[in-house]
Amino acid sequence: MQVNVWQFDKVGEPLISATKTFNLPAAGRITVKNYAIGINPVDWKFIDDNPRNWQPGHVPGVDGAGVVVAVGEGTDEYLLGKRVAYHHSLGEDGSFADHTTLYSNRVMEIPDGVDFPLAAALPCPMLTAWQAFSKVPVRAGADVLVTGMGAVNKLLVQLLVNAGFNVYVISGSFTQVQAEAMGVKKVYRHAPKEQTFYALFDANGPDYAVKLVPLLEANGHVVSILGRIGELVDAPFTRTISYHEIALGALHDFGDRAQWHRLMRDGEALLRNVAEHSMVVEIPNIFEFGKLNDALQFSEQVKRKAVVIV
């Protein structure tokens, strides 16, 4: 059948609206009829720079939500008709279409109480936040520092607070009202000078994170959500800081079935928290499918969450 898609053409240029032949899913795969598409920074960054060497005609998009309408040979038909949300690989035709094919074990069932637009807004930031949270052993009562309060870290601070950490934030835009709603202890506008931390979660980039590593206590952790620290800050066998990197998309290339099963079940638990209003989430800005390029521009320029309705 023919499906409506938005295709990559040239680096830095708007996507092109087109139709594309769509085949039935192969073994182990499913087809999702998209009802909403999430826009993430990784989408417009890859369109602007094309680090994966996309060819003209590639369909971008990592996040989507919809209904499973077809399953491949040997795939459990349990998912047929289910409402699902997903995070897709950057190396395959993605969610910027009215139908998307993906692996059957890489979707999360959407609970009642979460509509398609909200479900589509969550996979990339929510699962990235969960990966970052999971890197550091839980130590209730420990002080942790979070920098860069975008969509990922607004979810991350809630996971940390719920686990018993004392969470401090460095941000120029994060308000005291937001901090109180999420359980943050204090918002700093600049790096504190007389406080040490068990862990640092940074989304401002490695150059910024390097300057904050001295604030970590011995055996502390630095989790880089944007980029990675290339060289260790401390001499070997001194404070023995642990360095962690986060790249949700890399799991598509290097993760096994067991890892994906765990991640999707953890993601479903987080979606239930959203449905039960035990996790604060921002309502996304809505665009029509024909305005997908506008949604990308809005995400890049305004730095707020956008979702496209199909």
Side-chain angles (χ1 to χ4, degrees):
M1 66 176 181
Q2 294 294 110
V3 299
N4 298 308
V5 302
W6 285 92
Q7 294 181 333
F8 173 83
D9 184 44
K10 296 178 181 178
V11 172
E13 295 293 323
L15 301 180
I16 296 174
S17 177
T19 59
K20 196 167 188 174
T21 301
F22 201 82
N23 299 316
L24 291 174
R29 297 208 167 205
I30 59 174
T31 296
V32 175
K33 175 178 172 53
N34 293 318
Y35 284 94
I37 299 163
I39 304 295
N40 295 285
V42 69
D43 297 318
W44 47 262
K45 287 179 180 179
F46 271 60
I47 291 168
D48 287 346
D49 296 329
N50 195 21
R52 292 292 291 260
N53 193 31
W54 289 340
Q55 298 304 300
H58 175 80
V59 179
V62 293
D63 279 358
V67 174
V68 179
V69 295
V71 299
E73 181 180 355
T75 305
D76 193 342
E77 295 186 354
Y78 162 80
L79 283 172
L80 274 175
K82 296 292 185 182
R83 301 167 68 243
V84 298
Y86 61 86
H87 181 275
H88 202 19
S89 170
L90 286 159
E92 300 183 15
D93 280 349
S95 62
F96 290 2
D98 55 28
H99 289 72
T100 301
T101 293
L102 61 157
Y103 286 104
S104 62
N105 65 330
R106 300 184 186 183
V107 297
M108 301 170 286
E109 289 191 43
I110 303 172
D112 293 339
V114 177
D115 61 17
F116 285 125
L118 184 55
L122 290 172
C124 186
M126 181 182 70
L127 296 176
T128 301
W130 180 253
Q131 282 191 328
F133 169 78
S134 302
K135 289 285 188 177
V136 174
V138 172
R139 200 177 85 191
D143 293 344
V144 298
L145 183 63
V146 180
T147 71
M149 292 307 295
V152 171
N153 279 356
K154 286 176 182 174
L155 296 169
L156 173 60
V157 295
Q158 296 176 75
L159 297 174
L160 293 167
V161 168
N162 290 340
F165 290 106
N166 298 321
V167 180
Y168 297 81
V169 164
I170 300 176
S171 174
S173 60
F174 194 62
T175 67
Q176 191 59 41
V177 172
Q178 290 175 307
E180 292 174 1
M182 298 179 189
V184 172
K185 292 289 185 182
K186 185 173 181 178
V187 179
Y188 292 105
R189 300 308 177 195
H190 304 284
K193 296 181 178 180
E194 296 183 359
Q195 187 174 2
T196 58
F197 300 92
Y198 168 61
L200 162 68
F201 298 85
D202 175 71
N204 281 329
D207 291 342
Y208 187 81
V210 162
K211 298 176 182 178
L212 298 179
V213 170
L215 298 179
L216 292 172
E217 61 189 41
N219 295 317
H221 302 262
V222 53
V223 181
S224 294
I225 298 166
L226 178 63
R228 57 179 288 182
I229 295 177
E231 296 183 8
L232 303 185
V233 175
D234 294 88
F237 311 114
T238 55
R239 295 192 306 148
T240 60
I241 301 299
S242 295
Y243 292 76
H244 308 274
E245 61 187 29
I246 304 297
L248 177 60
L251 202 64
H252 289 284
D253 297 323
F254 299 99
D256 59 25
R257 288 186 63 87
Q259 287 176 301
W260 272 103
H261 178 78
R262 288 194 299 270
L263 182 63
M264 294 298 94
R265 300 299 79 79
D266 290 339
E268 288 177 342
L270 294 173
L271 286 174
R272 289 193 293 271
N273 289 341
V274 173
E276 295 164 0
H277 305 290
S278 60
M279 177 173 283
V280 178
V281 293
E282 295 184 342
I283 302 301
N285 297 270
I286 304 298
F287 292 79
E288 297 297 325
F289 186 66
K291 300 291 186 180
L292 192 142
N293 280 316
D294 291 344
L296 287 165
Q297 187 177 48
F298 175 87
S299 173
E300 182 172 6
Q301 294 181 354
V302 183
K303 302 294 188 292
R304 290 174 58 192
K305 192 66 181 183
V307 165
V308 173
I309 302 300
V310 183

